């Protein structure tokens, strides 16, 4: 059974449109995925920077306290360890 040339052309056009549509959807998904990942990484970096800042502040207070007193400030050291 031989297919008509117009049927073959229509099927080729339909297949091309389907492939083009799927490619567009995939590219869009990849772009959104990359943007979401970049945003997560930026937020994680900011969170780590804030945590490091807090750690330095508490460590500085512990160091100053150690220079001024003979006894360790246990609650401050625990807070430092928690961070």
């Amino acid at each position: 059974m031989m297919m008509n040339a117009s049927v073959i052309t229509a099927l080729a056009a339909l297949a091309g449109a389907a492939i083009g549509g799927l490619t567009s959807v995939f590219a869009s998904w990849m772009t959104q995925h990359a943007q979401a990942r970049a945003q997560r990484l930026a937020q994680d970096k900011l969170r780590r920077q804030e945590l490091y800042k807090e750690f330095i502040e508490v460590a500085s207070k512990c160091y100053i306290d150690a220079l001024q007193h003979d006894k360790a400030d246990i609650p401050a050291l625990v807070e430092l360890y928690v961070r």
Side-chain angles (χ1 to χ4, degrees):
M1 182 173 183
M2 193 165 233
M3 285 197 162
N4 191 344
S6 61
V7 173
I8 294 174
T9 303
L11 288 176
L14 185 59
I19 291 171
L22 288 175
T23 302
S24 177
V25 167
F26 180 71
S28 185
W29 178 80
M30 288 295 291
T31 301
Q32 289 178 349
H33 181 71
Q35 288 174 347
R37 184 174 186 271
Q39 185 178 9
R40 277 193 315 272
L41 290 174
Q43 289 173 347
D44 187 52
K45 183 178 179 181
L46 288 174
R47 184 187 61 79
R48 285 184 281 123
Q49 287 175 340
E50 184 63 30
L51 184 62
Y52 188 66
K53 175 185 159 196
E54 292 171 7
F55 177 83
I56 294 297
E57 288 173 355
V58 174
S60 298
K61 289 176 186 176
C62 286
Y63 181 68
I64 290 170
D65 185 67
L67 291 175
Q68 295 175 348
H69 302 96
D70 290 336
K71 292 184 179 181
D73 184 5
I74 302 299
L77 292 173
V78 169
E79 182 182 354
L80 181 62
Y81 180 76
V82 167
R83 295 197 187 277

